[in-house]
């Protein structure tokens, strides 16, 4: 009796584990199955490297280059804004702030990391975009710069919280050793603490990258949605995610446009796979210890 | 030496400045949402359906929709997430499957939410024929929540000292009895914290439900799993992009955003409070 | 005459490629205390865990030879390993009560067997706590957390928890190494009183402790059973030079 119950329990656990693997396989299958159909009609080179996304024209053309560039530039911009702010804040909280201040600030940062992205999107669309249009006297505030700014603000809590954890877990003795050798506080931070926390910091940046490039709602609401390669930071763009979200409603299952949007998802999946892979490689030696 | 001291002061000021900037940005953001959302809030706003082409009325169907989607998603995700974590921590054979599972979980955690939406549309809505419905949406959200849930549960279980399992096994308990009577109760507060945080995430997601569950406007609540639902996050997006009367709809969007924000922050704060309370109370 | 209670026959054990135990033939007699001594890393604890099959939990463990509990080979193919563990109790180095109440700690072994009524369990809990000399100290707070007890009390609770299963054999793995001298003395006395009802096998690296309370002593060195016999013989006229060196403190 004991044995039968034990067997059943073990089997349930095993099936749950298998189900998890099946979920990922189903995601990959679902996306690739519908996306790869596009390449029966359009060559993958044209898809990736030409710049003419006119899915509803006759005949339609599916050149996603501008969309890929859109995603990359928005993400790059977001990281340029977020990195100094989030890492600076993380250093401040971990190394400079009093323990009391840290106790207060750390949970707030963690809370901020949980704010839904659509709320950031609303803030960008209804408040920041009109402001930026005014300040820089532009035709529209819905552009690359505004998107990057919002995305940047959005990933700050994520990068800050994880890199702060990394610095906080550096043993105290390392700081003492550096200070005892006559180093100043900032020298200790840059030459002793940060090198020791390097892996966690890189991991947090990669996570921020993944979050920014995969974010849909903010860019859907703020990026302006023009499928062009931006000539300045104040021009509208159309990243991969917002293209999928904006156009999926207009397609019919099985038509070429539908397949093309799944093909965009393949590009997105591959980019996030690679950023995950780098994270895995960065963290692996640590895990084996 | 003076130059080094100066450098030190400079950098410390820089870091302080960065934190002040960050805090400034986030304060402007929160204050803006609160100050524009608060005037709209009222009891009627919570309990009434929208009226007059979304330019008046409340958000009751969206609130209930989000509640139903989130609750169903957790009902689907919790058992399989917890059992997967149990398998990882207590059975875990063969070893290569454990490694694969860890890679799978990390990969899934990194997939953008819009991809889950596409997947849900292709598999649940189209292939399985569940249509755009509460069922499709909550299944999609369940899969989205799975990796985080498994990771949190696994960590929670691993933080229970091995001494406890050993003592239980040495008394003649089976692995199942050891898990259900000793390990699981000891890990429960941490498992709950992780689950609550997942609830917060799921409640705020928009992209996964856009094509699988959400509808722009519905005066009534869903009657079955096959019905479309409104949801708070999608409601905000719809008000901002699909409306015809922005001057009336933007304030409602702010009000909805404030409700969503309060909801999510309350959920997360509960988790953080449980965690710190349990850390203080924990006896091992 | 003494009667064999639990014993090994040509026991060999490997963890992966490491040969940990070499051809062990050790006997423990009914109502006696047998001490297993030896330098750290000699395989004492591993040997002890062969008697209740706790080594089964280590993935690449391999074992040859036999372990008998009252004429039954506990490694025989159809053996109920859970029943073995219930009838061979074990107490660990560090007190490890569950984060439950005192009462539920002692009741645990009976509850999982699901064949006792509530009143039987209640009776047995009291009996076991009395046998472990803990009853008077805890009878008024049975439903308080076991974590509120002192280290020595926790260890006696662990003994009571093992006794509740009415084991034939009690395995003690350095049970006093985490305790203060007073608590240690109390547990040693307790062992002497318990041997009337249960056979005790005890690992210790405290040679004096083995001398104080054990009837038989086994000296284990690098996974080999070097010498086994009556404690007074081992301590006064050891036959093997290594035993003598260990007892006089040359190594270990």
């Amino acid at each position: 009796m004991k044995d039968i119950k034990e067997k059943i329990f073990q089997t349930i656990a095993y099936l749950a584990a298998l189900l998890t693997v099946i979920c990922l396989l189903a995601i990959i299958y679902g996306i690739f199955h519908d996306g790869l159909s596009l390449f029966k009609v359009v060559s993958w080179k044209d898809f990736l490297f030409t710049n003419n996304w006119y899915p509803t024209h006759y005949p339609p053309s599916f050149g996603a280059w501008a969309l890929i560039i859109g995603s990359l530039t928005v993400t790059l911009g977001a990281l340029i804004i977020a990195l100094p702010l989030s890492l600076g804040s993380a250093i401040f909280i971990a190394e400079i702030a009093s323990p009391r201040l840290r106790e207060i600030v750390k949970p707030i940062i963690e809370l901020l990391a949980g704010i839904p992205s659509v709320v950031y999107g609303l803030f960008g669309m209804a408040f920041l975009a009109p402001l930026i249009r005014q300040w820089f006297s532009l035709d529209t505030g819905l552009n690359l710069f505004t998107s990057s700014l919002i995305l940047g603000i959005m990933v700050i809590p994520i990068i800050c919280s994880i890199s702060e954890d990394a610095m906080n877990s550096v043993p105290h003795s390392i700081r003492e050793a550096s200070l005892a050798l006559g180093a100043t506080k900032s020298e200790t931070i840059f030459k002793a603490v940060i090198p020791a926390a390097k892996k966690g910091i890189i991991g947090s940046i990669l996570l921020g990258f993944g979050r920014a490039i995969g974010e849909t709602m903010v860019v859907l609401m703020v990026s302006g949605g023009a499928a062009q390669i931006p000539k300045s930071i104040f021009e509208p763009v159309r990243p991969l995610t917002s293209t999928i979200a904006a156009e999926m409603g207009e397609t019919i299952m099985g038509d070429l446009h539908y397949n093309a949007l799944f093909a965009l998802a393949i590009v997105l999946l591959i980019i996030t796979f690679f950023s995950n892979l780098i994270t895995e490689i960065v963290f692996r030696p640590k895990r084996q210890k | 030496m003076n130059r080094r001291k100066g450098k030190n002061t400079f950098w410390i000021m820089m870091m302080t400045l960065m934190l002040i900037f960050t805090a400034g940005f986030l304060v402007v953001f929160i204050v803006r949402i609160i100050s524009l959302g608060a005037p709209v809030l009222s009891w009627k706003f919570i309990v009434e359906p929208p009226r007059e082409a979304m330019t008046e009325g409340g958000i009751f169907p969206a609130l209930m929709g989000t509640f139903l989607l989130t609750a169903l998603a957790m009902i689907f995700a919790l058992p399989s997430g917890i059992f997967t974590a149990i398998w990882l921590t207590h059975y875990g054979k063969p070893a290569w499957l454990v490694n694969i599972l860890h890679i799978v979980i990390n990969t899934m955690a990194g997939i953008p939410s819009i991809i889950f939406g596409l997947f849900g549309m292709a598999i649940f809505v189209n292939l399985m024929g569940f249509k755009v419905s509460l069922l499709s949406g909550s299944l999609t959200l369940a899969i989205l929540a799975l990796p985080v849930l498994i990771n949190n549960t696994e960590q929670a279980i691993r933080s229970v000292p091995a001494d406890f399992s050993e003592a239980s096994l040495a008394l003649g308990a089976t692995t199942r009895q050891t898990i259900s009577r000793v390990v699981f109760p000891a890990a429960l507060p941490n498992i709950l914290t992780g689950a609550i945080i997942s609830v917060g995430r799921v409640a705020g997601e928009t992209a996964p439900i856009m094509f699988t569950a959400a509808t722009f406007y519905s005066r009534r609540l869903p009657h079955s799993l096959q019905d479309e639902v409104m949801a708070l996050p999608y409601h905000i997006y719809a008000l901002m992009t699909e409306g015809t009367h922005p001057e009336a709809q933007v304030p409602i969007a702010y009000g909805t955003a404030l409700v969503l924000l309060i909801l999510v922050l309350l959920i997360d704060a509960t988790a953080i409070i449980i965690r710190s309370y349990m850390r203080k109370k924990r006896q091992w | 005459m003494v009667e064999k209670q639990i014993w090994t026959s040509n026991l060999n054990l490997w963890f992966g490629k490491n040969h940990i135990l070499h051809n062990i033939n050790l006997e423990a007699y009914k109502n006696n205390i047998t001490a297993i001594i030896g330098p750290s890393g000699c395989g004492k604890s591993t040997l002890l865990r062969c008697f209740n099959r706790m080594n089964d939990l280590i993935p690449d463990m391999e074992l040859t030879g036999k372990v008998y509990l009252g004429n039954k080979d506990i490694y025989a193919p159809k053996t109920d390993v859970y029943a073995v563990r219930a009838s061979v109790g074990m107490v660990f180095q560090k007190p490890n009560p569950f984060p439950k109440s005192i009462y539920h700690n002692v009741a645990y072994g009976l509850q999982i067997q699901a064949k006792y009524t509530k009143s039987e369990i209640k009776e047995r809990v009291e009996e076991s706590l009395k046998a472990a000399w803990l009853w008077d100290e805890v009878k008024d707070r049975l439903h308080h957390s076991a974590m509120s007890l002192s280290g020595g009390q926790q260890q006696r609770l662990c003994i009571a928890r093992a006794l509740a299963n009415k084991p034939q054999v009690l395995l003690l793995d350095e049970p006093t190494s985490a305790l203060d001298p007073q608590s240690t003395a109390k547990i040693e006395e307790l062992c002497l009183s318990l041997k009337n009802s249960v056979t005790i096998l005890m690992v210790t690296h405290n040679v004096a402790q083995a001398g104080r309370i054990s009837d038989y002593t086994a000296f284990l060195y690098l996974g080999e059973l070097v010498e086994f016999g009556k404690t007074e013989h081992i301590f006064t006229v050891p036959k093997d030079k290594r035993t003598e060196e260990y007892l006089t403190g040359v190594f270990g």
Side-chain angles (χ1 to χ4, degrees), chain A residues 192-259:
Chain A
V193 178
I194 290 181
K198 198 175 58 192
K199 273 180 190 158
I201 294 173
I202 294 173
S204 77
I205 297 170
L206 284 165
L207 200 74
F209 170 84
R211 250 331 236 298
I213 204 160
E215 173 48 39
T216 308
M217 298 321 291
V218 167
V219 290
L220 181 58
M221 294 167 85
V222 184
S223 71
Q228 55 168 7
I229 291 171
K231 290 179 197 68
S232 89
I233 57 168
F234 293 116
E235 283 193 12
V237 288
R238 190 181 186 84
L240 293 165
T241 50
S242 65
T243 309
I244 298 171
E247 294 176 13
M248 190 46 90
E250 305 159 11
T251 65
I252 304 155
M253 187 178 101
D255 79 354
L256 213 52
H257 189 185
Y258 177 93
N259 291 336

Side-chain angles (χ1 to χ4, degrees), chain B residues 48-54 56-61 217-219 230 235:
Chain B
E48 276 185 5
R51 282 182 285 116
E52 311 292 325
M54 320 278 283
E56 279 175 45
I59 52 167
F60 186 64
Y217 179 59
S218 147
R219 280 193 60 100
M230 290 179 74
H235 194 56

